[in-house]
Amino acid sequence: MEDDENDPTENEEVKSTAVVKYSVPNPAKYLKLKCNTDLNLPPSNWLSSSADSYGLQHVLYHRKGFSSFRMAHMFPDCVGEVDVVSDAENIKNLLKLPYSKAHISMLVHRVENTLLLDDFDIYKHLLKTSETEWKWLKEFLYDAVNHETVASDKNLYTKSRRREALQKKSLVSKFLYHSLVEGDVKDSPFEAQGTLPIPLHGPPLPEAVSATPDPSPFDHNYNRNVVWTFEDIEMLIGTDLPIFGGGTHPCISLRLRDVSKPINVLTGIDYWLDNLMSNVPEVVMCYHLKGIVQKYELIKTEDLPRLDNSKFSPKLIRDVAQSILSFLKSNATKAGHTYWLFKGKNEDVVKLYDLTSLCSEKEDVKNPFTIPVGMLLYRVARNMKHTSDRQPGTIRMLLKNSIKLLPEGEYPEIVTSSHYMLSDLYVPAGTNPESPGLEQMEVDDESMMYDDDEDLLDSDKDPGMKVLVLDPNGCVQKFKNHYRSPPPINGTVEERCLQALQHVALGLKCLKHFQQTKETSKQQEEEVLFAKPFEPIPMPYGTLNETNDAQKKKKNKEKKKKEKIGDKTDSALLLKNSNEAQTWQNQQSSNISWKDHLKTLLYEKAVLVYATLSEQHFVSGCYGNSLRTIGLLARCQLIMNKLLYNYHGLEENCLLGRAGDCCIMMVQHWDKVDPYRQQFQANTEEDLKMLGHLEKDEQSYNVSIGESNMKVVFIYDIRTIEQMLLKGVECYDEALKSCENESILRRLGNSLNEVASFYLNKAKSASDVTEEMCNKAEAYLIKGLNVFEKVKDDANIALLYTNMGHLHRLLAHANTPQNRGELSQKEKLHYNKAFINYKKALQVLGERKHCPGIWDAVRWELSTAFFNMGTIMHENPPSNITKTEAERQVIEVLQKALQYCDFDEANPKFPLYQYRAAMIHYRIGCLYHSHIWMSGNDSANRKNVIQLAKINYEKASKYYLLSLDVISYFTSQMQRVALSEYLADTANALNVKIKHLQYCLDIFIEINDMMRLIDEKKVDVPEGEDEENETKGFKTCLSLLNLIKQRLQHVLKILVKLCLTKPSPSKDCPRLAEIYKYCYMLSLSLQDGVKCDELMNKLHLVITQIGDKVAEKKLD
């Protein structure tokens, strides 16, 4: 009792859980054997296939080999997630190190963060083989382990092959078969129930060959594959422990013990670990004496560490497990390297050799583990990519390391598929080129320094051997884990696209290693099998005979076909089907080879990448790059069209439409044409590689660019605006031939308008080719109108009608006679056509609110056209009609021009409209003034004409004042003065004369408003000219000021005379005479020959005084 109380294992507990990944369906029913049952006699069912469903056959024939590779292939989803993948026996041997002096020999491989551990039988692989087999490792073994020790201790490596050990296994096997309940054995072979198939996303890709380093590969399915968590260590293990159950003990393990021999520590640890790994709570011990059953004993799993003669410390085993795992993870860091974990007999030191580094200097050394590791890396990466949300950086690292390990000449399918998946990591299938969503991910500085193309540790600094000294006290030794998770895939969209293209080019390069002749390709290149809707997908870790009768009949023909192929090929690649392949899900064809299938995938990826690149370049304004990329995209598309698979991924009209967009945008930014030219000629390194493959495949598939509908996107250089405009129209036209699309129709209409505008601008700048350019422009405008009418785009219809009106104005101008005379018939024709088109534009828009910008432009153009025509008619009246009729026509045209003026102050052209209205009113006033002058006093409508003249002059003056045009304002006001003076001269009654002259005086006082603005520096006065030029007309400010001075003096002088006339016209005349006399005296102070500024100031002062004096009279 005292010993039990002081037992150190009494309170030791370890955390252990097991999740079964694969298992036989139910434990075998357990039969307790009667005492004195002779186990030496084999039962009737011993080693029969009918009992294979319980896995008892593995007790006698347990073949491990390199089982971790097979398990990793069966459960690729666990790789990278668990710490270790291994046979349960290997794990037990490692955990027994504190209590065992036996040797340890294991090979270690690393796949991402998972270690693959395999027993390495030195006798089997090295000592028993011929001199040539495993020669490189045999030489290293003799160098690393003393040669004499190896030779003298051969029995050390062959203990499991002794006769006594085999007899013991045979007895245990017979005991287990005896323990099966009679009648429980199934009549037919057991069909294992595998896990549900994992749905794969994406196109079908080659399945990795389940390669193992075994010289003689064999298939071995464990009774159970378990994810065992021991403390904080997670392991995927394979175990063949038979589990029984029945009655009150549903889950037990059976053990046969020799009653004459006490249980030892190592056996107790074996039993304990086996039960922990399979979540078995109890063990039943059957004791025998020379094969005769003596008794049974039931022991709980947690009590196994405390059995007499077999006491051990679970804590010590846990510490050893943590120390060894930490040691391995710290030192077995290089993917693709083979490590040898070795401990000699009776040694307390565990050594880890990096065999790959140590043997790398030897020539003609072929590592048998390279291909299996490469295949496993590929399989794990493929599984991660299609079934999990794992970090893309991890998948990239696995695929790159797989490519390093696998010779592309021997495994072209796998290497090509790896390059395709790498390209898909950078630009995933389903990416929208317009918004790819490939945002750059943030990574810390340390991860940015990590390069997955390099080993984590430098081989020159790595000594090639690491040592772990076993601590008998069980203290956990911690080692730094040099492994770091690969950084995420980052970079700009352009950088990712270029990386994807690099792998596409490398993948296409690998295609040359596929069989070229038809006969060998039929034998060695398996046909691609595509997923069928609503049909389960068999997974590799399901048993081969797991089919129902219906499936057997359905696949009978396919199996016969594969048997013929299988006899001639060493390891055919199996295709994993895809239920949700993006562009392949509806394809039912099964006659496409892997070469054509992978080539199609690679070109499909190239099309997507170039489409994404072209969109990115277009959005960033690099139109030269975008157009160059579209050319490459089109060439990839042409090859895609020639491949066996019917591809529908890219709409050709989108490609052609974007090419047209690039051409038009270059024209709109023609000031940057030199950079565009450089971009267009600057092929990247990736582009050059792709061009090499494109040229070969174009020859192979007889692709003729000149005969394709996409020939329009290919141009040699960027020369002129006209060339690019016409190329854009050509691209849009070709796009509409493949599919009529409203967006492309609108873009075509805009491009046609751009071409027309180009010719119109050319017509303006070169008068000798105006008509030729206008005729070209007219054809494009008519075509553009038809396009926009088809899509019912009113705004653009109005815009094109406006341009058509502008075209006819240019033609009218082109037909102007050299010596400007009256309006010609051609001019009238084109002006009238311009009016018609402008009015059509307004009619289409209906109201300004529908499109204010175009509405305002049309009204301005229409007003301008009427004004220009009216001006010509005013200055050069037609000779074939009377002057009165000519004046009437001019006034009618000018009034139409005035009608389309917009006096809304919110209108951007409001100041221009004001000024135009001033000019129109001035011209109309002049016409009425001329009519008054030419017609006599007896004219019937004289009074009305006078009123109209005054109104138009008055409005003209108002608008000129608002426009701050000094010269025009003074001119308009003096016309008013001239009209009033003329009316005064022709009047008969004195009071009428005085009234007209008083009106003149009021006009002079109004003129002072402009002078005040000038005095306040709110208006710029045009520079004065010399006196010689003043005589040429009143067109300068100084000449107009002198005219104002003269006419002011003249009007005041006449008013004084008229008011002093006897008899007086009215009683106020004497008083008025005094006022006008005073004003006249003021005006006489204005001297001749002064400068403009001085005259302006004096005139402003005098008119101000006159205005004040006249205002006093009105107050009286």
Side-chain angles (χ1 to χ4, degrees):
M1 294 293 292
E2 292 179 3
D3 292 341
D4 292 342
E5 291 176 0
N6 297 327
D7 186 357
T9 66
E10 182 71 28
N11 297 320
E12 288 186 8
E13 293 184 1
V14 292
K15 298 177 182 178
S16 173
T17 58
V19 178
V20 178
K21 296 285 288 183
Y22 167 84
S23 174
V24 293
N26 293 303
K29 291 185 179 180
Y30 152 62
L31 173 65
K32 187 174 182 180
L33 302 179
K34 295 179 181 180
C35 189
N36 296 325
T37 300
D38 188 355
L39 299 178
N40 294 303
L41 299 175
S44 59
N45 63 348
W46 189 46
L47 302 182
S48 67
S49 60
S50 61
D52 285 352
S53 60
Y54 302 117
L56 303 185
Q57 70 276 16
H58 300 314
V59 176
L60 190 58
Y61 306 107
H62 181 75
R63 300 181 66 186
K64 293 180 289 185
F66 295 95
S67 56
S68 69
F69 285 87
R70 288 191 295 275
M71 282 193 287
H73 274 280
M74 290 173 65
F75 304 102
D77 55 308
C78 291
V79 180
E81 297 288 343
V82 300
D83 297 299
V84 178
V85 176
S86 184
D87 188 300
E89 296 300 315
N90 298 332
I91 302 298
K92 291 193 293 183
N93 290 336
L94 286 176
L95 299 187
K96 288 188 292 186
L97 278 176
Y99 300 94
S100 173
K101 298 300 181 181
H103 85 286
I104 292 289
S105 176
M106 295 184 189
L107 291 183
V108 183
H109 295 88
R110 182 165 198 146
V111 178
E112 200 199 347
N113 199 31
T114 297
L115 299 175
L116 308 184
L117 303 183
D118 293 289
D119 178 65
F120 186 62
D121 193 324
I122 296 176
Y123 176 77
K124 173 184 174 183
H125 292 295
L126 300 181
L127 304 181
K128 187 180 176 181
T129 57
S130 65
E131 291 296 326
T132 57
E133 292 184 51
W134 300 76
K135 182 179 178 181
W136 65 283
L137 190 54
K138 192 178 299 184
E139 292 175 358
F140 173 73
L141 174 66
Y142 288 137
D143 292 340
V145 182
N146 186 275
H147 192 286
E148 290 75 14
T149 303
V150 174
S152 61
D153 292 345
K154 265 188 184 180
N155 292 334
L156 160 71
Y157 305 109
T158 60
K159 63 180 182 178
S160 63
R161 296 166 180 82
R162 292 187 302 223
R163 185 170 179 273
E164 181 184 349
L166 295 175
Q167 287 178 340
K168 183 179 178 181
K169 285 186 177 182
S170 177
L171 189 63
V172 171
S173 176
K174 293 173 184 176
F175 161 66
L176 293 175
Y177 277 92
H178 273 294
S179 300
L180 288 174
V181 175
E182 292 184 10
D184 188 51
V185 179
K186 301 180 184 292
D187 296 331
S188 60
F190 167 71
E191 296 181 2
Q193 177 63 42
T195 57
L196 291 175
I198 301 173
L200 298 179
H201 305 278
L205 294 174
E207 178 60 82
V209 177
S210 297
T212 61
D214 296 281
S216 302
F218 62 92
D219 290 328
H220 171 68
N221 289 331
Y222 290 97
N223 285 350
R224 275 170 307 288
N225 292 102
V226 178
V227 176
W228 179 42
T229 305
F230 184 61
E231 288 294 331
D232 57 346
I233 304 171
E234 199 170 16
M235 294 172 271
L236 172 65
I237 59 174
T239 174
D240 287 324
L241 176 70
I243 298 179
F244 292 80
T248 57
H249 303 283
C251 184
I252 62 172
S253 60
L254 288 181
R255 298 292 180 175
L256 184 64
R257 296 296 309 158
D258 191 336
V259 73
S260 62
K261 297 178 182 179
I263 187 172
N264 61 37
V265 173
L266 297 179
T267 304
I269 295 174
D270 260 348
Y271 294 171
W272 181 66
L273 290 174
D274 274 334
N275 278 16
L276 287 181
M277 289 175 180
S278 297
N279 266 355
V280 177
E282 298 170 316
V283 59
V284 172
M285 298 280 196
C286 177
Y287 294 93
H288 73 97
L289 184 62
K290 296 181 180 180
I292 307 300
V293 175
Q294 301 295 311
K295 64 175 181 176
Y296 280 86
E297 181 183 7
L298 180 68
I299 303 173
K300 290 186 177 297
T301 301
E302 59 265 26
D303 295 332
L304 288 173
R306 295 187 290 275
L307 294 179
D308 292 339
N309 301 317
S310 178
K311 292 184 179 180
F312 59 89
S313 169
K315 179 178 180 298
L316 179 58
I317 293 176
R318 178 199 64 192
D319 293 345
V320 168
Q322 292 175 335
S323 295
I324 291 178
L325 178 66
S326 177
F327 172 69
L328 291 176
K329 287 209 167 185
S330 173
N331 297 294
T333 56
K334 302 175 185 177
H337 281 221
T338 299
Y339 298 88
W340 181 31
L341 186 70
F342 178 79
K343 183 184 87 70
K345 184 180 180 181
N346 297 323
E347 292 182 358
D348 292 328
V349 175
V350 179
K351 299 177 182 178
L352 183 70
Y353 299 93
D354 184 350
L355 298 181
T356 305
S357 297
L358 291 169
C359 300
S360 60
E361 297 179 358
K362 297 183 180 181
E363 297 181 0
D364 300 327
V365 172
K366 186 175 181 181
N367 187 345
F369 302 96
T370 300
I371 301 303
V373 173
M375 285 292 179
L376 183 57
L377 291 172
Y378 168 80
R379 182 174 176 82
V380 172
R382 179 180 179 275
N383 181 76
M384 283 184 180
K385 186 174 184 303
H386 293 308
T387 62
S388 67
D389 296 327
R390 294 292 293 277
Q391 173 60 254
T394 301
I395 302 172
R396 173 183 60 180
M397 179 196 70
L398 293 172
L399 290 171
K400 284 191 173 183
N401 286 329
S402 175
I403 292 171
K404 288 181 189 176
L405 298 176
L406 298 176
E408 64 181 35
E410 298 178 26
Y411 302 96
E413 298 93 341
I414 302 300
V415 176
T416 305
S417 176
S418 298
H419 283 301
Y420 167 73
M421 284 195 284
L422 281 167
S423 70
D424 195 60
L425 287 174
Y426 287 104
V427 182
T431 298
N432 183 355
E434 293 182 356
S435 55
L438 305 176
E439 292 82 5
Q440 183 171 356
M441 301 179 65
E442 294 184 2
V443 292
D444 56 28
D445 295 337
E446 292 185 2
S447 63
M448 286 295 288
M449 296 170 63
Y450 176 86
D451 184 0
D452 57 14
D453 289 337
E454 300 178 359
D455 291 326
L456 291 173
L457 297 177
D458 191 346
S459 299
D460 296 335
K461 299 179 182 179
D462 191 356
M465 183 187 75
K466 301 292 183 180
V467 176
L468 170 65
V469 179
L470 298 175
D471 187 352
N473 297 322
C475 296
V476 179
Q477 300 183 52
K478 294 291 185 181
F479 298 88
K480 183 179 179 181
N481 189 351
H482 296 281
Y483 176 81
R484 286 180 294 169
S485 296
I489 294 178
N490 52 55
T492 62
V493 174
E494 182 177 356
E495 290 169 345
R496 292 182 65 153
C497 286
L498 292 177
Q499 285 288 335
L501 279 178
Q502 182 181 5
H503 288 290
V504 169
L506 290 172
L508 291 171
K509 181 182 176 184
C510 288
L511 295 176
K512 67 182 180 182
H513 297 293
F514 284 74
Q515 296 294 335
Q516 297 298 324
T517 62
K518 294 183 179 179
E519 292 182 1
T520 55
S521 65
K522 288 180 180 178
Q523 294 174 359
Q524 297 185 6
E525 196 172 334
E526 185 179 336
E527 293 179 345
V528 181
L529 304 178
F530 291 90
K532 297 179 180 179
F534 312 109
E535 183 175 313
I537 303 173
M539 298 300 288
Y541 44 85
T543 58
L544 295 177
N545 57 359
E546 185 187 352
T547 54
N548 53 37
D549 293 339
Q551 289 173 328
K552 287 180 180 177
K553 293 179 181 178
K554 193 171 184 179
K555 298 182 180 178
N556 196 19
K557 294 182 179 179
E558 293 180 5
K559 286 186 177 179
K560 289 180 181 179
K561 184 178 179 181
K562 290 182 181 179
E563 285 173 2
K564 295 179 182 178
I565 299 174
D567 294 337
K568 300 177 183 179
T569 55
D570 295 331
S571 54
L573 298 177
L574 298 177
L575 171 67
K576 267 193 177 180
N577 293 329
S578 170
N579 283 336
E580 296 183 33
Q582 180 199 355
T583 60
W584 300 84
Q585 55 189 356
N586 297 323
Q587 177 70 15
Q588 299 298 325
S589 173
S590 61
N591 60 354
I592 179 171
S593 66
W594 272 123
K595 181 179 181 181
D596 288 336
H597 174 67
L598 290 171
K599 178 181 282 189
T600 304
L601 283 180
L602 289 168
Y603 272 116
E604 179 185 0
K605 182 61 64 181
V607 167
L608 176 60
V609 171
Y610 277 129
T612 305
L613 264 179
S614 66
E615 285 298 312
Q616 290 304 304
H617 290 316
F618 184 82
V619 171
S620 60
C622 301
Y623 304 117
N625 279 332
S626 184
L627 191 59
R628 171 179 54 79
T629 307
I630 289 172
L632 292 166
L633 167 60
R635 294 179 71 172
C636 293
Q637 178 69 32
L638 290 174
I639 293 176
M640 282 292 300
N641 296 340
K642 291 286 185 177
L643 291 172
L644 294 178
Y645 176 69
N646 189 14
Y647 173 69
H648 297 290
L650 178 72
E651 295 291 343
E652 291 182 358
N653 62 338
C654 295
L655 183 155
L656 294 164
R658 184 56 81 207
D661 296 341
C662 291
C663 296
I664 300 302
M665 294 305 293
M666 282 187 198
V667 171
Q668 294 183 0
H669 301 83
W670 196 250
D671 56 320
K672 301 177 182 177
V673 67
D674 289 334
Y676 295 151
R677 287 170 177 153
Q678 294 174 5
Q679 294 168 10
F680 186 72
Q681 301 294 337
N683 284 309
T684 64
E685 183 179 349
E686 292 78 9
D687 293 336
L688 294 174
K689 292 178 182 177
M690 284 299 301
L691 282 169
H693 295 297
L694 286 168
E695 289 170 1
K696 292 178 182 177
D697 286 327
E698 284 168 353
Q699 292 178 0
S700 175
Y701 292 105
N702 294 321
V703 174
S704 176
I705 294 176
E707 297 176 1
S708 70
N709 60 333
M710 286 188 286
K711 63 183 179 182
V712 295
V713 305
F714 300 104
I715 61 175
Y716 294 103
D717 54 9
I718 301 169
R719 297 188 300 275
T720 64
I721 293 177
E722 183 177 7
Q723 170 214 8
M724 299 310 293
L725 286 172
L726 296 178
K727 179 61 69 173
V729 172
E730 193 178 359
C731 289
Y732 293 134
D733 278 331
E734 199 63 43
L736 289 172
K737 290 179 183 177
S738 62
C739 178
E740 189 167 290
N741 178 283
E742 183 174 330
S743 172
I744 294 179
L745 278 170
R746 291 179 184 274
R747 284 141 72 186
L748 172 61
N750 287 327
S751 65
L752 291 168
N753 185 41
E754 289 286 342
V755 176
S757 299
F758 168 77
Y759 286 130
L760 290 177
N761 289 330
K762 208 167 183 180
K764 289 180 187 177
S765 59
S767 58
D768 55 329
V769 293
T770 299
E771 289 197 47
E772 179 187 352
M773 293 296 106
C774 286
N775 290 334
K776 287 184 177 181
E778 187 172 14
Y780 286 101
L781 287 174
I782 292 172
K783 187 176 178 182
L785 282 169
N786 294 332
V787 169
F788 283 125
E789 285 172 358
K790 188 177 292 186
V791 295
K792 298 179 180 179
D793 189 338
D794 291 342
N796 278 308
I797 292 172
L799 183 62
L800 263 67
Y801 274 129
T802 305
N803 287 342
M804 189 71 82
H806 188 66
L807 179 149
H808 285 291
R809 282 180 56 202
L810 285 174
L811 285 173
H813 180 73
N815 285 281
T816 302
Q818 282 188 340
N819 297 320
R820 177 71 266 182
E822 62 183 85
L823 203 64
S824 67
Q825 291 300 318
K826 282 190 176 181
E827 285 181 284
K828 288 182 182 179
L829 174 65
H830 288 298
Y831 269 121
N832 287 329
K833 286 185 176 181
F835 299 150
I836 291 171
N837 282 285
Y838 286 135
K839 289 178 180 179
K840 282 183 178 180
L842 292 176
Q843 185 179 0
V844 168
L845 292 176
E847 296 181 9
R848 183 177 185 272
K849 62 181 181 180
H850 295 151
C851 194
I854 297 178
W855 176 273
D856 292 342
V858 175
R859 286 180 66 96
W860 173 256
E861 289 278 333
L862 184 54
S863 174
T864 303
F866 276 119
F867 178 74
N868 289 345
M869 184 178 177
T871 301
I872 295 171
M873 293 173 66
H874 182 203
E875 295 174 355
N876 303 278
S879 58
N880 57 346
I881 56 175
T882 63
K883 186 176 182 181
T884 303
E885 180 63 19
E887 290 175 351
R888 186 190 64 77
Q889 289 182 2
V890 172
I891 291 172
E892 184 180 337
V893 171
L894 290 175
Q895 284 179 339
K896 286 181 180 178
L898 189 62
Q899 177 186 345
Y900 289 103
C901 288
D902 188 349
F903 296 104
D904 183 0
E905 293 184 4
N907 193 311
K909 291 186 181 295
F910 174 67
L912 296 177
Y913 277 122
Q914 275 189 333
Y915 194 75
R916 174 163 294 169
M919 291 190 291
I920 292 172
H921 282 297
Y922 178 77
R923 286 186 178 276
I924 294 176
C926 289
L927 286 168
Y928 284 126
H929 192 166
S930 174
H931 182 76
I932 296 169
W933 194 284
M934 298 304 296
S935 63
N937 292 337
D938 57 348
S939 177
N941 59 345
R942 175 183 170 84
K943 187 175 182 180
N944 185 44
V945 171
I946 291 172
Q947 189 65 26
L948 288 173
K950 286 184 176 181
I951 292 173
N952 279 281
Y953 275 141
E954 186 177 345
K955 287 184 178 181
S957 299
K958 182 183 74 171
Y959 287 130
Y960 279 134
L961 178 64
L962 292 173
S963 300
L964 303 178
D965 186 342
V966 176
I967 303 290
S968 298
Y969 177 76
F970 286 161
T971 302
S972 176
Q973 290 288 47
M974 293 313 295
Q975 288 285 11
R976 293 177 66 192
V977 171
L979 176 62
S980 295
E981 285 188 25
Y982 172 74
L983 294 175
D985 290 342
T986 57
N988 295 320
L990 289 178
N991 58 344
V992 176
K993 288 179 179 285
I994 293 172
K995 184 178 179 181
H996 285 304
L997 293 174
Q998 287 176 335
Y999 182 73
C1000 287
L1001 189 58
D1002 290 338
I1003 294 173
F1004 286 122
I1005 295 172
E1006 281 184 22
I1007 290 174
N1008 204 35
D1009 293 339
M1010 178 66 78
M1011 293 182 178
R1012 182 170 58 255
L1013 292 175
I1014 295 171
D1015 183 60
E1016 294 173 357
K1017 307 297 183 182
K1018 292 182 180 180
V1019 180
D1020 294 330
V1021 180
E1023 293 183 3
E1025 299 184 16
D1026 53 36
E1027 293 182 0
E1028 293 180 4
N1029 290 331
E1030 291 180 26
T1031 60
K1032 295 182 180 180
F1034 302 100
K1035 296 182 180 180
T1036 65
C1037 185
L1038 180 59
S1039 62
L1040 286 168
L1041 288 176
N1042 282 321
L1043 178 64
I1044 293 171
K1045 180 194 71 171
Q1046 293 170 6
R1047 302 322 297 169
L1048 174 63
Q1049 291 174 343
H1050 176 72
V1051 167
L1052 289 172
K1053 181 179 178 181
I1054 298 300
L1055 279 171
V1056 171
K1057 286 183 178 180
L1058 291 175
C1059 289
L1060 293 176
T1061 302
K1062 300 296 183 178
S1064 178
S1066 67
K1067 60 179 181 179
D1068 293 331
C1069 283
R1071 187 168 60 85
L1072 290 174
E1074 294 298 324
I1075 294 173
Y1076 294 141
K1077 189 183 294 185
Y1078 174 77
C1079 292
Y1080 179 65
M1081 290 175 59
L1082 290 174
S1083 67
L1084 292 177
S1085 65
L1086 298 172
Q1087 300 177 359
D1088 295 331
V1090 297
K1091 292 183 178 180
C1092 184
D1093 291 341
E1094 183 180 351
L1095 180 58
M1096 178 79 70
N1097 292 332
K1098 289 184 177 181
L1099 193 57
H1100 169 56
L1101 179 62
V1102 168
I1103 294 177
T1104 301
Q1105 293 173 343
I1106 291 173
D1108 293 340
K1109 192 66 176 177
V1110 171
E1112 290 177 7
K1113 183 265 298 183
K1114 291 180 179 179
L1115 289 174
D1116 296 340

